[in-house]
C-alpha cells in the first residue's frame, strides 16, 4: 500500500502534494499508525530511537531509586499508547518534576525547581552564559502541560493531537535522563583503599 501511495505521489502536481500529504498523515494519526509521508516517502515516527530513549530514561530512574518519578513516567507512556493525550502530557510533566524534587530534596513549581537545579551546581559543567538557556529549555515541558494538559480548557473542548503528547513524553524521557545523569555525576565516588605502606609487596621466600 505504501509503495502504491509513493508512486501515486510522483504523479501529483506540486500544488496538490502538500494537501495530499496532509490528508494521508491526518489519517495515520487518526488510526494511530506510526508512519508519516514526507516528500513522497514514508518514514516511521515510532522509531527505535524513540523507544531506546524512553527505556534508558526508565532504567536510570529505576537505578537511582526514583520510584515515584518512574511510576508517573510509566503511566504517561501508557496513556500515550491508548491515545489519552492530555493525561500523557500531564503525567510526563509530573514525572520530571518528581525527578527534580528527588534530586533537590525540595518542593516547588517546575520553574522554581529548574532554577534550583542550576543554582545547586548541576549545570556548572557548561559556560555560565549557557545555563539560563538550558533552564528555559527544561521549563518547556511544564509550558506544554499548562497549555494542553494541566488546566481548565474553558468553554470549548480542546482536542490535543497525538504528536503533542508524544513530544511531551519524549521530552520527559530526555529531561529525566539528563537530570539523573547530572545527579549521579555529582555523587561522591566511593573511597578506594590504597595498599598499606607497612606491607611489603615482595614475598620474602
Amino acid at each position: 500500500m505504501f509503495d502504491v501511495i509513493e508512486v501515486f505521489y510522483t504523479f501529483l502536481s506540486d500544488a496538490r502534494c502538500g494537501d495530499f500529504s496532509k490528508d494521508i498523515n491526518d489519517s495515520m494519526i487518526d488510526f494511530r499508525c506510526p508512519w508519516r509521508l514526507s516528500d513522497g516517502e514514508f518514514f516511521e515516527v515510532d522509531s527505535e530511537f524513540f523507544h531506546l530513549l524512553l527505556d534508558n530514561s526508565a532504567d536510570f530512574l529505576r537505578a537511582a531509586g526514583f520510584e515515584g518519578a518512574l511510576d508517573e513516567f510509566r503511566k504517561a507512556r501508557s496513556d500515550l499508547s491508548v491515545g489519552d493525550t492530555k493525561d500523557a502530557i500531564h503525567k510526563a510533566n509530573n514525572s520530571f518534576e518528581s525527578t527534580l524534587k528527588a534530586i533537590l530534596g525540595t518542593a516547588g513549581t517546575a520553574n522554581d525547581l529548574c532554577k534550583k537545579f542550576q543554582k545547586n551546581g548541576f549545570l556548572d559543567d557548561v559556560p555560565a552564559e549557557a545555563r539560563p538557556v538550558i533552564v528555559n529549555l527544561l521549563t518547556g515541558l511544564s509550558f506544554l502541560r499548562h497549555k494542553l494538559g494541566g488546566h481548565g480548557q474553558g468553554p470549548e473542548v480542546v482536542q490535543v493531537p497525538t504528536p503533542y503528547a508524544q513530544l511531551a513524553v519524549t521530552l520527559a524521557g530526555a529531561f529525566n535522563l539528563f537530570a539523573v545523569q547530572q545527579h549521579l555525576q555529582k555523587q561522591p565516588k566511593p573511597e578506594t583503599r590504597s595498599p598499606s605502606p607497612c606491607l611489603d609487596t615482595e614475598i620474602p621466600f
Side-chain angles (χ1 to χ4, degrees):
M1 181 191 73
F2 286 175
D3 290 339
V4 171
I5 293 175
E6 288 177 347
V7 171
F8 179 75
Y9 183 93
T10 63
F11 289 94
L12 295 175
S13 64
D14 292 341
R16 295 187 59 195
C17 286
D19 290 338
F20 179 74
S21 294
K22 183 179 184 304
D23 290 341
I24 291 292
N25 290 333
D26 285 347
S27 297
M28 292 293 179
I29 292 172
D30 289 341
F31 288 95
R32 300 175 190 166
C33 183
W35 292 86
R36 299 293 183 271
L37 182 67
S38 177
D39 292 330
E41 295 183 1
F42 280 100
F43 67 97
E44 190 174 10
V45 175
D46 199 7
S47 62
E48 181 180 351
F49 172 78
F50 175 72
H51 286 296
L52 183 62
L53 169 65
L54 300 186
D55 289 342
N56 282 346
S57 179
D59 288 342
F60 265 81
L61 290 174
R62 186 181 301 107
F66 297 159
E67 295 301 327
L70 176 59
D71 180 62
E72 289 165 337
F73 186 61
R74 284 173 175 164
K75 289 178 179 176
R77 294 182 64 176
S78 177
D79 287 339
L80 176 63
S81 69
V82 298
D84 195 345
T85 54
K86 290 183 182 179
D87 278 351
I89 293 173
H90 184 71
K91 290 168 186 172
N93 181 79
N94 286 352
S95 172
F96 182 49
E97 285 189 13
S98 294
T99 296
L100 293 179
K101 289 176 182 177
I103 290 173
L104 299 170
T106 185
T109 66
N111 188 53
D112 291 337
L113 291 169
C114 289
K115 289 179 179 178
K116 289 177 182 177
F117 190 73
Q118 176 191 348
K119 186 177 180 180
N120 286 20
F122 289 99
L123 302 180
D124 285 356
D125 51 351
V126 293
E129 61 270 17
R131 296 168 197 165
V133 178
I134 297 172
V135 170
N136 288 336
L137 175 65
L138 296 176
T139 58
L141 181 55
S142 65
F143 181 81
L144 272 178
R145 192 216 30 199
H146 292 330
K147 297 301 180 182
L148 299 178
H151 292 295
Q153 57 189 345
E156 297 182 0
V157 176
V158 177
Q159 300 294 339
V160 179
T162 298
Y164 293 93
Q166 189 175 48
L167 172 63
V169 175
T170 305
L171 286 176
F175 291 173
N176 282 332
L177 186 61
F178 169 74
V180 173
Q181 284 177 326
Q182 294 298 96
H183 167 67
L184 295 177
Q185 183 176 303
K186 284 178 66 66
Q187 295 302 298
K189 297 180 180 179
E191 295 183 3
T192 56
R193 291 188 177 181
S194 58
S196 172
C198 299
L199 295 177
D200 191 348
T201 56
E202 295 183 6
I203 300 176
F205 53 85

